[in-house]
Amino acid sequence: MWWQWRRRHWPSPPLLVLIFAATLLPSSSAIDFLYNSFSSATNRTDVILIEDSRVDSTVISLINDSDPLSFGRVFYPQKLSIIPDPTRNPTRLSSFSTSFVFSILPDISTSPGFGLCFVLSNYTSPPGAISSQYFGLFTNATVRFNAPLLAVEFDTGRNSEVNDIDDNHIGIDLNNIESTTSVTAGYYDSVNGSFVRFNMRNGNNVRAWIDFDGPNFQINVSVAPVGVLRPRRPTLTFRDPVIANYVSADMYVGFSASKTNWNEARRILAWSLSDTGTLREINTTNLPVFFLENSSSSLSTGAITGIVIGCVLFLGLIGFGGYLIWRKLMKEEEEEEIEEWELEFWPHRFSYEELAAVTEVVCGRRPIESAEEEDMVLVDWVRDLYGGGRVVDAADERVRSECETMEEVELLLKLGLACCHPDPAKRPNMREIVSLLLGSPQEDLLTGLTPAAAADSTAAHA
Ligand SMILES: *[C@@H]1O[C@H](CO)[C@@H](O)[C@H](O)[C@H]1NC(C)=O
Ligand SMILES: *[C@@H]1O[C@H](CO)[C@@H](O)[C@H](O)[C@H]1NC(C)=O
Ligand SMILES: *[C@@H]1O[C@H](CO)[C@@H](O)[C@H](O)[C@H]1NC(C)=O
Ligand SMILES: *[C@@H]1O[C@H](CO)[C@@H](O)[C@H](O)[C@H]1NC(C)=O
Ligand SMILES: *[C@@H]1O[C@H](CO)[C@@H](O)[C@H](O)[C@H]1NC(C)=O
Ligand SMILES: *[C@@H]1O[C@H](CO)[C@@H](O)[C@H](O)[C@H]1NC(C)=O
Ligand SMILES: *[C@@H]1O[C@H](CO)[C@@H](O)[C@H](O)[C@H]1NC(C)=O
Ligand SMILES: *[C@@H]1O[C@H](CO)[C@@H](O)[C@H](O)[C@H]1NC(C)=O
């Protein structure tokens, strides 16, 4: 029987040679590369471009701005050996070092930020990966589960639901959007040791260094503006054997990013990586620098003053409309007592005198009466911005910071425009405003706000 077993299960000689070779050779060969530019990089041979990432002249652009839910990843084509001997020694990890230069440039500096991730993944398309704040990498699972996906996030937005510490931080993500550890972006000055913060989201080129120390389960990350020498002390150090739960034998290595409505260009300018011990040095002298072209997006001081007045005027108009309706209702009851709940929560009503005083001080005249005349110029300006798809540019920073999302800012401004519609018949009534603010979609209310539509409407009205 022995020979029968042997016959049936003993592999054929060519296969034997293969198995023998596989056990002798390292599971994958050493990786050591340097891209000072991506100008001649082609898909599948030099990099793997997934979804919306593209080679754009000399850099890799991860996102396509015309798609609101765009995401993109780029990987090195060859997998990196992370667990050299998975069957006999699954928790002995190997080491590598990498360094890269990236640029994050939003269209609107106060819009919600996203950032990008450096990633180790068993798959070029991790299952269930979603866009928006999930970097096009993670699922929205609230419970962390073991899977070979490990990322270093360079996060330029604060998402409090996942406990982000601020809107400019780096963190270690173990198969989950919620970082296991994170610190504010900055570097330790090599001379005096002090921590120097800097903004990763102004288009300036940022250099990052990551050391993955497998035997010690340790990841060191440093970031600094290009031009600063490699800091001696890393910005972030994470040391935990739990890392072994989030790696596989061989892993793709690369970058991932995603967005929603707000445009934020994410670019990789240069990249080097080595698992042989010596990282080749990136030459940063000729790297491109990205900034926004000067256009209507840069606002003069006059325009900014206009924004403040405009916002107060719009909110005033809405408030005044509400006040009039409320007063009409109150007249029926003939009582103007302040109820207890109002004192407890929020002054939900204003006297006419209060309102007039505030608006007069801010605008220097009686805006309610003159809204149809001089102040309409301001409205036209906001309407022009709206026509150009940039209505949020009209919002003062203080207003933006008080609103939870830019969608809210946009809604308020659109509402303001609707309330100033040249055709009074098309202005929303209070009931419509309230239901809109409570979240029920009333898109028909918010149409005809563009300069062209408004002009048509004015002509028709005249
Ligand atoms: C690059 O190659 C990958 C893998 O074959 C493919 O899925 C992707 O669509 C390609 N991307 C581009 C931009 O050609
Ligand atoms: C971005 O997406 C749009 C449509 O979604 C497409 O027409 C365009 O070619 C894409 N741009 C790039 C650079 O791939
Ligand atoms: C990693 O991917 C390979 C296929 O590329 C698959 O065979 C293997 O099971 C995956 N490992 C894990 C731990 O998911
Ligand atoms: C995750 O996304 C799915 C599909 O988009 C959705 O049905 C589910 O409610 C989301 N879960 C959480 C916790 O947000
Ligand atoms: C340390 O050096 C940095 C930049 O080189 C400088 O900005 C900072 O003020 C210095 N701090 C101290 C305490 O000298
Ligand atoms: C990581 O940083 C720590 C100090 O925070 C240092 O002791 C250690 O040697 C560093 N590891 C590597 C691989 O550079
Ligand atoms: C970096 O590149 C510049 C021009 O591209 C070149 O003049 C310089 O010698 C390079 N530096 C190094 C260290 O290779
Ligand atoms: C853009 O504007 C800035 C300041 O407003 C100015 O210094 C710079 O020269 C302008 N750049 C171009 C390309 O016009």
Side-chain angles (χ1 to χ4, degrees):
M1 296 310 269
W2 177 86
W3 58 270
Q4 256 185 350
W5 174 86
R6 194 180 147 167
R7 252 198 141 152
R8 228 184 270 150
H9 294 273
W10 206 238
S12 61
L15 193 56
L16 260 186
V17 172
L18 272 182
I19 292 172
F20 184 67
T23 47
L24 276 195
L25 291 169
S27 61
S28 59
S29 47
I31 291 186
D32 180 3
F33 62 83
L34 167 65
Y35 291 111
N36 269 319
S37 152
F38 291 94
S39 55
S40 55
T42 46
N43 196 17
R44 288 184 282 269
T45 46
D46 304 299
V47 288
I48 302 181
L49 300 166
I50 302 292
E51 293 289 337
D52 296 329
S53 67
R54 294 287 180 275
V55 173
D56 180 6
S57 178
T58 65
V59 307
I60 302 275
S61 190
L62 289 170
I63 298 299
N64 180 343
D65 274 348
S66 46
D67 178 359
L69 289 178
S70 171
F71 65 97
R73 304 183 202 104
V74 59
F75 293 101
Y76 188 68
Q78 199 184 334
K79 276 184 154 184
L80 196 62
S81 167
I82 298 291
I83 311 174
D85 189 357
T87 42
R88 275 179 300 175
N89 211 341
T91 57
R92 200 186 73 80
L93 313 185
S94 49
S95 301
F96 68 88
S97 295
T98 186
S99 180
F100 47 91
V101 176
F102 64 86
S103 161
I104 301 177
L105 180 62
D107 277 6
I108 303 172
S109 61
T110 49
S111 67
F114 298 94
L116 57 89
C117 274
F118 169 81
V119 58
L120 279 178
S121 172
N122 193 40
Y123 306 102
T124 53
S125 295
I130 50 178
S131 185
S132 67
Q133 73 265 43
Y134 297 95
F135 295 104
L137 200 58
F138 304 109
T139 65
N140 63 359
T142 48
V143 181
R144 191 188 305 274
F145 59 95
N146 297 352
L149 182 60
L150 186 154
V152 178
E153 65 171 39
F154 298 82
D155 194 344
T156 52
R158 181 176 192 174
N159 291 95
S160 43
E161 74 279 9
V162 297
N163 297 320
D164 277 352
I165 51 168
D166 59 24
D167 60 1
N168 187 46
H169 59 270
I170 61 177
I172 304 291
D173 297 351
L174 302 174
N175 189 33
N176 199 282
I177 181 71
E178 184 164 351
S179 302
T180 301
T181 182
S182 57
V183 295
T184 292
Y187 63 94
Y188 291 96
D189 185 88
S190 293
V191 176
N192 62 27
S194 65
F195 189 68
V196 185
R197 290 163 186 240
F198 69 95
N199 181 4
M200 298 192 291
R201 198 176 179 247
N202 52 11
N204 289 347
N205 292 342
V206 177
R207 176 90 182 260
W209 296 265
I210 298 173
D211 285 316
F212 184 94
D213 178 352
N216 290 315
F217 306 107
Q218 185 164 18
I219 303 172
N220 286 357
V221 187
S222 299
V223 276
V226 158
V228 173
L229 289 180
R230 179 173 188 161
R232 267 188 248 143
R233 177 177 168 191
T235 306
L236 180 157
T237 291
F238 178 67
R239 182 179 183 142
D240 195 325
V242 76
I243 288 173
N245 295 342
Y246 298 93
V247 294
S248 56
D250 301 305
M251 299 182 90
Y252 287 105
V253 61
F255 304 91
S256 186
S258 60
K259 69 185 278 267
T260 54
N261 292 325
W262 312 103
N263 289 347
E264 185 183 81
R266 264 66 63 77
R267 297 176 172 103
I268 307 295
L269 286 69
W271 183 22
S272 72
L273 185 143
S274 176
D275 63 1
T276 63
T278 30
L279 186 64
R280 283 192 274 162
E281 187 54 29
I282 293 172
N283 185 344
T284 56
T285 47
N286 270 354
L287 290 178
V289 179
F290 296 92
F291 47 83
L292 290 180
E293 282 137 35
N294 286 358
S295 61
S296 54
S297 68
S298 48
L299 297 174
S300 66
T301 322
I304 291 165
T305 314
I307 291 168
V308 179
I309 298 174
C311 287
V312 170
L313 175 66
F314 284 154
L315 294 175
L317 277 175
I318 294 168
F320 189 63
Y323 168 76
L324 287 181
I325 303 270
W326 172 79
R327 214 163 103 133
K328 206 170 151 192
L329 291 174
M330 275 302 145
K331 251 189 203 150
E332 287 156 22
E333 292 178 26
E334 284 300 341
E335 276 209 3
E336 282 224 14
E337 273 174 25
I338 294 184
E339 290 151 32
E340 227 173 80
W341 64 271
E342 284 187 276
L343 289 174
E344 199 176 325
F345 294 99
W346 171 262
H348 279 264
R349 44 178 150 165
F350 305 92
S351 74
Y352 178 77
E353 285 74 14
E354 279 167 346
L355 202 68
V358 167
T359 47
E360 230 164 38
V361 166
V362 173
C363 301
R365 52 180 174 251
R366 306 277 304 271
I368 306 302
E369 278 90 337
S370 59
E372 301 272 333
E373 297 125 41
E374 303 102 298
D375 284 334
M376 268 306 174
V377 176
L378 189 63
V379 172
D380 289 343
W381 175 74
V382 179
R383 193 175 286 131
D384 283 345
L385 279 177
Y386 175 79
R390 317 176 61 98
V391 68
V392 288
D393 282 13
D396 175 56
E397 201 156 315
R398 273 170 294 171
V399 173
R400 293 187 197 181
S401 64
E402 280 190 10
C403 293
E404 277 191 7
T405 62
M406 291 305 276
E407 283 85 351
E408 217 169 87
V409 174
E410 196 178 340
L411 180 68
L412 278 178
L413 284 163
K414 287 203 293 197
L415 201 50
L417 277 180
C419 294
C420 298
H421 201 287
D423 180 356
K426 292 198 173 149
R427 293 175 192 162
N429 64 32
M430 201 58 201
R431 185 202 305 260
E432 289 167 326
I433 290 174
V434 167
S435 74
L436 198 134
L437 287 175
L438 289 177
S440 82
Q442 303 246 350
E443 275 307 320
D444 53 319
L445 264 187
L446 301 180
T447 54
L449 304 182
T450 59
D456 281 355
S457 180
T458 316
H461 197 60

